[in-house]
Amino acid sequence: MSHISFEEVWNLVMRIPEGSVATYGQIAHLVGHPHAARIVGFAMHAAPPQVPCHRVVSSKGGLSDAFQPFGCATHRFLLEIEHIPFTADGCVDLASCLWHPHFQQEGNS
């Protein structure tokens, strides 16, 4: 059984464009481990500074309390800088800004 590589996760998260977000589960699915959302969270916590971890949110658009120095407030601030919209309950409005990657299939240009 193969395992999920943090570097593979980080490389994918680096592709999320400014103004868009992805969910932990979405990233897990895209790297071929659809039940590994929690591992994606661990990868985000261990990511180097150049990885835009703030662009990854929960399946309901929830924010992470792991952001320093102020937890969810820091996470929200980083997203607001990129004009990410929020719903009235404080979650990211996934309907407006969820990333939809387009992967090229091998052999096609």
Side-chain angles (χ1 to χ4, degrees):
M1 183 173 176
S2 65
H3 68 281
I4 191 167
S5 158
F6 280 16
E7 286 188 11
E8 184 178 18
V9 170
W10 299 336
N11 288 335
L12 183 59
V13 171
M14 294 283 290
R15 294 185 55 216
I16 302 170
E18 185 174 325
S20 295
V21 299
T23 68
Y24 296 101
Q26 179 185 13
I27 297 298
H29 178 76
L30 289 169
V31 297
H33 296 274
H35 303 292
R38 186 175 301 261
I39 303 299
V40 171
F42 294 145
M44 293 299 90
H45 187 70
Q50 69 270 23
V51 177
C53 300
H54 63 285
R55 295 181 187 151
V56 183
V57 298
S58 79
S59 62
K60 306 270 190 225
L63 306 177
S64 172
D65 204 33
F67 279 84
Q68 295 300 319
F70 302 113
C72 291
T74 300
H75 195 176
R76 182 178 177 119
F77 175 75
L78 293 170
L79 291 170
E80 286 177 339
I81 289 171
E82 296 186 9
H83 306 289
I84 297 292
F86 287 82
T87 61
D89 64 357
C91 292
V92 170
D93 183 1
L94 294 176
S96 298
C97 59
L98 187 64
W99 180 47
H100 298 286
H102 300 286
F103 290 100
Q104 285 186 325
Q105 294 182 356
E106 272 186 53
N108 294 340
S109 340

